[in-house]
Amino acid sequence: MLFTDVLIVTGGFTVVFYLLKLLWTCCYGVRQYFLSEFWQLDLRRYGQWAVVTGATSGIGKAYASELARRGLDVVLISRSEEKLQMVAKEIEDQYGRKTRTIQVDFTDGHRIYSTIAAKLQGLDIGILVNNVGMSYSDHFAYFLEIPDAEQKITQVVNCNVLSVPQMTRLVLPDMVKRGTGLIINISSEVGIRPHPLLSLYSATKIFVTYFSQCLHAEYKTKGITVQCVSPFLVSTNMTKNVNISCFVKSASGFAREALNTVGHSSYTSGCLSHALQNMALTTFLPDQILMSPFFIRKLKTFAKMSKLRETEAQSSA
């Protein structure tokens, strides 16, 4: 009888614990994705300038435009001078904000950061968006299938990993001196859990996630906010401009919603749709399945079929 009573009490505590956990998640989600729409932080409080890497397309361009719309001047950093000038003109014409451009290739490694530092000198930088990133394959691929592996591995690590702490090193000291600053690091859903067939890309994104969380813990008492943003699918060049739907956000829509979460969360999926997808996949696709040889084979088969259909569509066009 005593054993049965213990089981009942233990079961009751377990149910209450999970109900409270669910309630906390729901309340946190309401604050992050609903209340933030009406209670937006004035981002100008951080400083006059925002710096955005990978700023000529996709999420980076969307962040740069949204930050300008909210009253900040923007430093655009990317590798194409022509695209930099085009985006700078768009922002100046549409929002009347000042812009500066820095043309560098983040795959070149550590040698570019002295150039960036010289061009950022003297600016009141309140916000840094570490967005620049690259993948190495159009489809799911085994590690040994990475094209031009020796060069590509170095490029991906330089772009996705090295850029984040190096850019942070350039702007953080002045933020600490002023006692305020915002650093936004763009990770990915594939940085939430390990993703076979995206092994290198997934590993670079978990670096961004952990670095962001540790940095926020270290510097939040000094007035610095470090936010990690881990989106699912956003319609960009990297995702081959996949069709926008209730599951796939446009870059501009995503940037607007994600910036609303600043001040409400240091780690976010960026929007409610992506947060719900994360919860669903974590619940219904646990790591035991995701990492299983059977699932990996099926995923690889799906990738081959998708690539074949794409090739056939291009041939018939």
Side-chain angles (χ1 to χ4, degrees):
M1 186 68 177
L2 181 61
F3 180 70
T4 305
D5 291 341
V6 170
L7 285 179
I8 292 173
V9 171
T10 302
F13 275 116
T14 302
V15 170
V16 170
F17 171 78
Y18 280 103
L19 285 176
L20 288 174
K21 185 177 179 181
L22 178 62
L23 180 63
W24 167 254
T25 301
C26 291
C27 291
Y28 189 71
V30 166
R31 178 190 171 189
Q32 185 178 171
Y33 299 115
F34 289 101
L35 297 183
S36 64
E37 188 72 29
F38 307 100
W39 178 28
Q40 297 176 17
L41 208 62
D42 184 357
L43 300 180
R44 293 173 295 182
R45 63 183 283 184
Y46 292 112
Q48 178 185 354
W49 288 87
V51 177
V52 183
T53 66
T56 54
S57 65
I59 292 175
K61 179 182 177 182
Y63 261 91
S65 298
E66 183 65 20
L67 287 165
R69 188 183 74 82
R70 299 190 187 203
L72 284 95
D73 298 328
V74 186
V75 180
L76 309 165
I77 308 180
S78 195
R79 65 180 177 179
S80 170
E81 182 64 33
E82 181 182 356
K83 290 181 179 179
L84 281 168
Q85 296 305 322
M86 184 169 59
V87 175
K89 187 175 187 308
E90 287 179 14
I91 288 175
E92 290 170 0
D93 290 347
Q94 188 166 0
Y95 303 110
R97 304 306 308 179
K98 297 176 186 175
T99 64
R100 292 194 183 187
T101 62
I102 303 176
Q103 189 271 318
V104 292
D105 187 341
F106 282 97
T107 65
D108 286 343
H110 63 86
R111 59 188 176 186
I112 67 173
Y113 295 99
S114 59
T115 300
I116 297 174
K119 295 192 175 184
L120 293 181
Q121 193 169 7
L123 295 181
D124 176 26
I125 298 171
I127 299 175
L128 167 65
V129 181
N130 280 312
N131 161 77
V132 69
M134 63 180 293
S135 189
Y136 48 83
S137 176
D138 293 338
H139 298 280
F140 297 109
Y142 287 93
F143 179 73
L144 291 179
E145 295 175 351
I146 297 176
D148 304 318
E150 182 178 0
Q151 179 183 17
K152 188 65 71 174
I153 290 169
T154 301
Q155 290 178 335
V156 170
V157 171
N158 283 343
C159 188
N160 295 9
V161 177
L162 185 63
S163 65
V164 178
Q166 288 286 21
M167 287 300 302
T168 300
R169 174 183 63 84
L170 296 182
V171 304
L172 185 58
D174 284 343
M175 289 180 174
V176 172
K177 286 179 184 177
R178 296 196 313 269
T180 186
L182 169 64
I183 297 173
I184 299 173
N185 295 326
I186 307 298
S187 182
S188 170
E189 178 271 334
V190 302
I192 297 174
R193 315 187 272 167
H195 276 63
L197 304 183
L198 291 171
S199 53
L200 180 59
Y201 184 72
S202 177
T204 64
K205 290 304 182 179
I206 194 61
F207 170 85
V208 175
T209 300
Y210 280 6
F211 179 75
S212 303
Q213 292 175 330
C214 292
L215 201 69
H216 182 70
E218 291 174 9
Y219 286 94
K220 61 184 178 182
T221 58
K222 300 182 185 299
I224 312 301
T225 297
V226 182
Q227 184 187 59
C228 182
V229 182
S230 297
F232 270 63
L233 276 177
V234 177
S235 184
T236 66
N237 291 337
M238 186 180 288
T239 59
K240 296 189 172 182
N241 296 306
V242 63
N243 292 334
I244 297 169
S245 66
C246 58
F247 300 108
V248 181
K249 301 292 292 185
S250 68
S252 58
F254 178 80
R256 183 187 64 80
E257 291 190 42
L259 277 172
N260 287 347
T261 68
V262 171
H264 299 279
S265 175
S266 61
Y267 181 87
T268 179
S269 295
C271 63
L272 179 61
S273 168
H274 289 187
L276 292 174
Q277 289 177 68
N278 176 32
M279 289 178 60
L281 282 180
T282 302
T283 302
F284 297 110
L285 189 63
D287 286 351
Q288 293 89 335
I289 295 177
L290 185 64
M291 304 288 283
S292 68
F294 173 79
F295 184 81
I296 293 171
R297 287 195 300 270
K298 290 298 182 183
L299 198 59
K300 184 61 176 174
T301 301
F302 170 77
K304 287 181 178 178
M305 293 177 62
S306 297
K307 189 171 184 179
L308 180 62
R309 285 195 296 267
E310 183 180 308
T311 303
E312 291 173 348
Q314 291 174 349
S315 300
S316 60

